[in-house]
Amino acid sequence: RRPRAGKILADARDGTHGFIDIGACGEAGRVLATTNGEGLSRNFADELAFIHGKKQPFLAAPHERDDRFVAYLTAPAIAESGEPLGVVMVLLDAQPLVDLLNDRTGLGETGEILVARRTDDRLAYLAPPIHSPNVPMEPSEAEVMALAIAGESGARETDCLGTEVLADYRPVTFQSRDVERWGMVTKLDTAEAYAPVAALRSSLLLLDALLLL
């Protein structure tokens, strides 16, 4: 039965862009079949992707694997009779999502988009930050992200690692809020943000001086 199940899963994987692997786990979390034939002895019972996938469709946070980001998409496997059979686990290529978050088009030289959840006293990022990778956040930046994670939206000037920035913050529904709460902060150094205003002011002052001649 396993070879036939693997063939069915492989057909589903090959017919969908971005699917790397598809596996089927039993109710106890043990892998019963996969498209790549690996990991048949693995047990997902203690992993969040499996635990939440037994109840409802669930998208786990991306993680790095072989220099590329991937994420598990899981959902209950249910028989026609309604009896739960286990969990279908799809390994997705999450690199396009990470690349999108790291795309600085329109963000200037210092702009950055951060998406994170709070883990104890630190922030766990959906994608690694560009300007400050893998470092603890300053209290002011953590405060702005905390507001976003708490469901608030707004914009303010704040200090980020010793640099004044403009920060726009808001919640994001990457996962159900009863599972994990996420926030997004888009920030830009105030010096860069106000550079056009400063340039315009200088031009106006020069114009005023010329008119007085």
Side-chain angles (χ1 to χ4, degrees):
R1 295 178 61 184
R2 282 187 177 179
R4 182 172 179 271
K7 176 64 168 58
I8 294 173
L9 294 176
D11 289 342
R13 177 200 61 193
D14 296 340
T16 308
H17 179 71
F19 282 17
I20 299 174
D21 186 24
I22 303 179
C25 294
E27 277 285 276
R30 188 169 64 88
V31 176
L32 304 177
T34 66
T35 55
N36 62 16
E38 300 176 359
L40 290 177
S41 61
R42 185 174 178 182
N43 193 306
F44 283 87
D46 296 328
E47 299 200 19
L48 288 178
F50 176 81
I51 294 171
H52 291 294
K54 292 179 69 173
K55 306 172 185 176
Q56 59 188 1
F58 178 80
L59 179 60
H63 61 278
E64 198 166 7
R65 172 175 160 178
D66 298 329
D67 298 323
R68 192 168 184 85
F69 282 87
V70 297
Y72 275 108
L73 174 64
T74 59
I78 302 175
E80 293 184 3
S81 62
E83 178 186 1
L85 300 176
V87 175
V88 175
M89 303 190 67
V90 179
L91 185 65
L92 301 174
D93 180 7
Q95 192 62 46
L97 173 60
V98 174
D99 291 342
L100 179 63
L101 289 175
N102 289 338
D103 183 3
R104 294 168 59 188
T105 302
L107 293 176
E109 294 296 323
T110 61
E112 186 171 18
I113 299 175
L114 303 173
V115 177
R117 69 185 189 275
R118 182 180 288 280
T119 302
D120 297 326
D121 59 344
R122 300 190 63 169
L123 301 178
Y125 290 101
L126 179 61
I130 298 173
H131 296 305
S132 53
N134 301 322
V135 298
M137 290 296 96
E138 292 295 308
S140 56
E141 184 178 358
E143 180 184 359
V144 173
M145 183 62 80
L147 291 173
I149 292 172
E152 298 186 31
S153 300
R156 66 167 63 175
E157 291 187 24
T158 186
D159 179 85
C160 174
L161 301 176
T163 302
E164 286 295 318
V165 301
L166 285 177
D168 179 274
Y169 56 93
R170 63 193 60 210
V172 291
T173 53
F174 176 74
Q175 295 169 330
S176 172
R177 291 183 67 80
D178 61 349
V179 173
E180 196 81 75
R181 297 188 175 191
W182 293 79
M184 180 174 70
V185 172
T186 304
K187 62 185 182 69
L188 181 68
D189 288 6
T190 55
E192 182 177 2
Y194 293 140
V197 177
L200 177 60
R201 182 173 181 273
S202 297
S203 297
L204 292 175
L205 290 175
L206 177 61
L207 180 59
D208 286 345
L210 291 175
L211 291 175
L212 291 173
L213 293 178

